[in-house]
Amino acid sequence: MTNPIALVTRGDAVVAAEWSAALAAALPEETILPFRAMSAEQRQLADIAIVANPDPADVAALPQLAWVQSLWAGVERLVGELGPGAPPIVRLVDPELSRAMAEAVLAWTLYLQRDMPAYARQQRQRIWQALPYRPPSQVRIGLLGLGALGTAAAEILLRAGFPVAGWSRSGQALTGIETTTGSDGLAHLLTRSDIVVCLLPLTAETRGLLGAANIARMKPGASLINFARGPIVVTSDLIAALDAGHLAHAVLDVFDAEPLASSSALWDHPRVTVLPHISAPTNRASAAGIVADHVRRYRRSGVLPHAVDRARGY
Ligand code: NAP
């Protein structure tokens, strides 16, 4: 008999039960137990933990873990909370998540390209006025981050006719798009892009990256879409740039604190679209299938799935 797998989450009980059911369906041959329901002996034997916002003390109470499988794509909180001594952390890379994110990037890129925020303002003021039409070919998109999500976004934007440039750490080439790297590459991309889309992980290097200095490098009249993590953007600097008319609009799905406080100035800002962290919802069935593949390969071969690089933070 194989060792039990611990499901560790401090999320609400209904969500935990839904994950339990999805994982049990994807891995019927495994014994997957909520951490709280495990006996002392089962905790001692568990060699894999599947986690969603776990209490770090619960993970630390599983001494034989070979690896920790996150059910989320972004793992900055997990990496920080589990600390350097924790077992390898594997994050969720799911083609369905990438597809949903690419769809969201395209949707809100079209929203900006077709001037929907401006037409909504005009409607409220009963103004009947056509704004100059910009075809996709004249709207340059700058993608910050060309990983699982950024690559899928680049592909869908190219298919829709937008010129796309991308910025990453390695500068790895991608067919059809100009890629840049380093601070010069970032400045180049910001200066030229009409819409900047942020799909970076939150790390020590990316925290506060889009503050006053880099926002000032953005093209006058450009817009920002942040679908990655709130603290990558310095909110007060963004609001200042919108108020000054330097930037046209910001579409924000992620914030420093979530849910966004009802007192936040972002809610009422005429040049901000607030979304409640919905750009790429996790699909439980497909995520459970990806986790099942990892577990089965590990059981068969003893090979750990690809883990997060703790030093880089993603
Ligand atoms: P990923 O595959 O790890 O890709 C990250 C990309 O960012 C890579 O291209 C990487 O460069 C680049 N990068 C990292 N640090 C950098 C730096 N300092 N300078 C320049 N480029 C840097 O991550 P992913 O799966 O695409 O996900 C990205 C983020 O999206 C997640 O971390 C998560 O926070 C967020 N997310 C949000 C939602 C939502 O619903 N809003 C849903 C899922 C995920 P290299 O290619 O050179 O490594």
Side-chain angles (χ1 to χ4, degrees), residues 9-299:
T9 169
R10 56 188 155 189
D12 77 56
V14 175
V15 174
E18 285 169 359
W19 274 118
S20 250
L23 290 163
L27 281 165
E29 71 276 26
E30 295 283 337
T31 308
I32 305 173
L33 298 166
F35 175 80
R36 307 249 162 248
M38 294 175 94
S39 67
E41 192 197 354
Q42 286 167 328
R43 289 179 187 181
Q44 194 64 37
L45 290 174
D47 58 347
I48 301 169
I50 301 174
V51 307
N53 296 336
D55 183 332
D58 292 350
V59 178
L62 301 164
Q64 302 296 336
L65 290 183
W67 52 284
V68 173
Q69 171 71 57
S70 170
L71 292 171
W72 310 145
V75 289
E76 71 283 351
R77 182 171 171 188
L78 191 59
V79 169
E81 287 188 346
L82 295 192
I89 294 170
V90 176
R91 71 188 192 95
L92 184 69
V93 179
D94 181 350
E96 174 51 25
L97 189 79
S98 302
R99 188 206 60 75
M101 180 58 90
E103 176 186 84
V105 169
L106 178 62
W108 273 277
T109 297
L110 293 170
Y111 167 80
L112 295 168
Q113 175 243 336
R114 293 305 305 255
D115 292 311
M116 293 192 217
Y119 284 118
R121 278 194 297 275
Q122 287 193 181
Q123 181 177 348
R124 282 194 292 277
Q125 296 171 294
R126 299 172 183 256
I127 296 174
W128 179 278
Q129 190 193 324
L131 299 169
Y133 170 72
R134 296 176 300 168
S137 60
Q138 288 173 23
V139 180
R140 288 177 179 277
I141 314 298
L143 280 175
L144 304 182
L146 293 173
L149 304 183
T151 302
E155 285 165 0
I156 204 168
L157 289 167
L158 285 173
R159 281 203 299 277
F162 292 95
V164 181
W167 183 70
S168 69
R169 230 161 96 104
S170 59
Q172 198 185 337
L174 259 182
T175 310
I177 81 167
E178 180 197 359
T179 53
T180 62
T181 185
S183 49
D184 289 350
L186 177 62
H188 178 70
L189 178 140
L190 293 176
T191 314
R192 287 162 49 92
S193 302
D194 297 292
I195 301 173
V196 172
V197 182
C198 180
L199 288 172
L200 290 165
L202 177 61
T203 67
E205 285 182 25
T206 64
R207 184 177 290 275
L209 183 80
L210 293 176
N214 278 326
I215 291 174
R217 291 188 175 98
M218 287 173 69
K219 193 169 161 179
S223 294
L224 173 70
I225 297 176
N226 185 12
F227 284 171
R229 284 292 182 265
I232 298 172
V233 176
V234 181
T235 304
S236 52
D237 294 346
L238 173 65
I239 291 177
L242 291 163
D243 288 344
H246 174 57
L247 296 189
H249 200 85
V251 179
L252 306 175
D253 185 44
V254 287
F255 303 90
D256 290 337
E258 297 178 14
L260 182 64
S262 58
S263 59
S264 170
L266 294 169
W267 285 110
D268 297 327
H269 200 290
R271 296 191 175 271
V272 174
T273 299
V274 170
L275 301 170
H277 203 134
I278 47 74
S279 51
T282 305
N283 177 313
R284 253 183 219 113
S286 69
I290 304 276
V291 172
D293 289 347
H294 288 175
V295 170
R296 290 204 180 103
R297 200 172 53 232
Y298 173 69
R299 294 284 189 233

